[in-house]
Amino acid sequence: MHRSPWWFHQCETVFNHFIELAVPFLLFLGRRMCILHGILQILFQVLIIISGNLSFLNWLTIVPSLACFDDASLGFLFSSQKTRAKAQVLEIQAKEATGKVTPVGYGSCIRKVVNLSLGLLVAFLSIPVVINLLSSQQVMNTSFNPLRIVNTYGAFGSITKERTEVILQGTSSLDPDDPAALWEEYEFKCKPGDLRRRPCLISPYHYRLDWLMWFAAFQTYEQNEWIIHLAGKLLANEKGILSLMASNPFEGKAPPRWIRGEHFRYKFSRPGGTHAKDGKWWIRKRIGPYFPPVNLEGLRKFFEARRWPHPALN
C-alpha cells in the first residue's frame, strides 16, 4: 500500500476523515445506522492493521465497536440450545415483550446506585479534560487528578512529517577516525535499516526496542542515554541484547572495537523509480552523527556514574 499511486493515498486521507469525523454520528440514527457504524469502524481498523504497525492499538480500538451490534445481529454466532446463553436471552426478551417484568432485587438497586455514582464522578473529573480539549494550547498525555481515572491520553499527539532513523554501526578498526575503517550495520527485526528489506507486518506483536529506536531518532542521545547502554552491550557481544537484533555483523568474529550511531532521513522509494527498480524499498540520506564512536573502556566512567554494571566481553 505504501507504494500505491498518490491519488490512492489522497483517497485514503478522505476516507480517514470521513470515518473519524462523520461516521460517529451514525450512532445516534437508530439501530441500522449504529450497526453500519460498527462495520465501518472495524473495517477502518483492519485496514490500518494491514497497512501499518501500531502494535495492539487497533485491535483494542475494535473492542468498543462491538457494542454497536445488538443480540439480533450477533445471534448467528451462538447456539440455540436451551441450555445456552442465546436461549436464555430469548426467553428474557419474550417475557419483556409480554409485559412480564422481573422484580428488581436489592442487589440490582445497589448496582444502579454505584453505576450512577461512578458516572457522575467521571463526568465531574472530566471537566478539566474537556476544557483542555477546547484549548488552543492543548496538552497531550496528561492526567488531571491523582486518581488518574481520566486523562488526555493520545497515541500520537503529533505526527512528524519526516522519518528519521538511528543506525548503529560497528567496526573492528583500531582507529574509528580512519577513513579506511569498515563500518558494518546492525539490523533490527522490524525498524527500517536495510534499504532492500520490505517493511514488516507484526501487529499485534510489539518490538519494543525497535519502537524506542524510532522515538530516539526524534531527540538526541543525551535525552536517550539508554542507547549508549545498548551500544555498550553490543560492544560486549551480550547474547541477551543480540537476541533482540535481526542480524549481528560480527557473528562468528571478534566483537567490534567501536560502535557509533548515525542519523539518517528515510523515505519510501517511488513506484517505478530508479531505486524501486533496483529492489530498494527505502531511500535514505545521512543527516549526520547521532552519537560519536564509543568503546568499552571509554564507556567505563559513563556506566559507573549511572551505577550501571559495566559490560564484560563474551
Side-chain angles (χ1 to χ4, degrees), residues 108-171:
S108 179
C109 291
I110 294 178
R111 186 176 65 181
K112 288 181 179 180
V113 171
V114 171
N115 290 344
L116 180 61
S117 300
L118 286 175
L120 292 173
L121 175 63
V122 171
F124 174 74
L125 294 176
S126 297
I127 293 175
V129 178
V130 174
I131 294 174
N132 176 73
L133 179 65
L134 301 176
S135 172
S136 59
Q137 297 180 334
Q138 187 180 123
V139 181
M140 292 296 296
N141 300 330
T142 301
S143 183
F144 291 85
N145 60 82
L147 298 178
R148 297 184 180 274
I149 295 177
V150 295
N151 54 60
T152 56
Y153 172 75
F156 297 98
S158 61
I159 301 295
T160 57
K161 294 183 179 181
E162 295 180 333
R163 174 145 199 163
T164 56
E165 293 288 345
V166 177
I167 304 298
L168 299 182
Q169 301 174 338
T171 182

Side-chain angles (χ1 to χ4, degrees), residues 3-284:
R3 286 187 168 183
S4 301
W6 285 112
W7 64 263
F8 179 80
H9 292 304
Q10 290 172 340
C11 290
E12 281 183 310
T13 304
V14 173
F15 180 68
N16 179 86
H17 283 68
F18 171 70
I19 290 292
E20 294 189 351
L21 299 178
V23 169
F25 290 98
L26 296 180
L27 287 169
F28 307 103
L29 300 180
R31 174 179 178 270
R32 291 184 178 180
M33 291 296 101
C34 183
I35 293 175
L36 178 60
H37 168 273
I39 293 172
L40 290 175
Q41 288 290 356
I42 292 175
L43 174 63
F44 180 51
Q45 297 304 320
V46 170
L47 289 174
I48 297 177
I49 290 170
I50 294 173
S51 61
N53 281 313
L54 300 179
S55 183
F56 47 80
L57 183 64
N58 301 108
W59 295 90
L60 289 179
T61 308
I62 287 176
V63 175
S65 297
L66 299 179
C68 296
F69 303 94
D70 57 13
D71 295 341
S73 61
L74 297 177
F76 70 95
L77 296 174
F78 302 92
S79 171
S80 298
Q81 295 180 13
K82 291 185 178 181
T83 56
R84 299 302 178 94
K86 181 179 178 180
Q88 296 174 7
V89 171
L90 291 174
E91 183 179 349
I92 293 173
Q93 291 176 339
K95 288 181 179 180
E96 291 178 348
T98 58
K100 295 181 180 179
V101 181
T102 304
V104 178
Y106 181 70
S108 179
C109 291
I110 294 178
R111 186 176 65 181
K112 288 181 179 180
V113 171
V114 171
N115 290 344
L116 180 61
S117 300
L118 286 175
L120 292 173
L121 175 63
V122 171
F124 174 74
L125 294 176
S126 297
I127 293 175
V129 178
V130 174
I131 294 174
N132 176 73
L133 179 65
L134 301 176
S135 172
S136 59
Q137 297 180 334
Q138 187 180 123
V139 181
M140 292 296 296
N141 300 330
T142 301
S143 183
F144 291 85
N145 60 82
L147 298 178
R148 297 184 180 274
I149 295 177
V150 295
N151 54 60
T152 56
Y153 172 75
F156 297 98
S158 61
I159 301 295
T160 57
K161 294 183 179 181
E162 295 180 333
R163 174 145 199 163
T164 56
E165 293 288 345
V166 177
I167 304 298
L168 299 182
Q169 301 174 338
T171 182
S172 297
S173 175
L174 293 173
D175 182 6
D177 296 322
D178 184 355
L182 175 62
W183 290 93
E184 300 180 82
E185 297 184 3
Y186 286 88
E187 195 70 26
F188 286 76
K189 291 190 175 182
C190 194
K191 89 174 192 70
D194 182 2
L195 302 181
R196 287 183 167 80
R197 189 172 69 168
R198 180 194 297 267
C200 64
L201 178 62
I202 58 170
S203 179
Y205 192 72
H206 186 40
Y207 284 122
R208 180 69 175 170
L209 179 58
D210 296 49
W211 182 264
L212 290 175
M213 288 293 293
W214 177 39
F215 280 95
F218 301 161
Q219 302 170 319
T220 64
Y221 76 89
E222 290 92 347
Q223 296 169 298
N224 296 273
E225 292 185 343
W226 61 266
I227 202 169
I228 304 299
H229 189 270
L230 172 64
K233 298 283 188 178
L234 292 175
L235 284 165
N237 253 2
E238 287 202 2
K239 292 182 179 179
I241 291 298
L242 291 174
S243 68
L244 302 177
M245 314 295 289
S247 65
N248 172 20
F250 297 92
E251 186 174 0
K253 300 185 293 185
R257 288 191 173 93
W258 300 87
I259 281 185
R260 69 182 183 184
E262 290 288 282
H263 209 185
F264 288 89
R265 183 179 294 108
Y266 274 71
K267 65 178 182 179
F268 281 108
S269 60
R270 286 185 174 275
T274 305
H275 297 87
K277 290 180 179 178
D278 192 33
K280 295 180 180 178
W281 282 86
W282 301 96
I283 303 171
R284 76 180 185 184

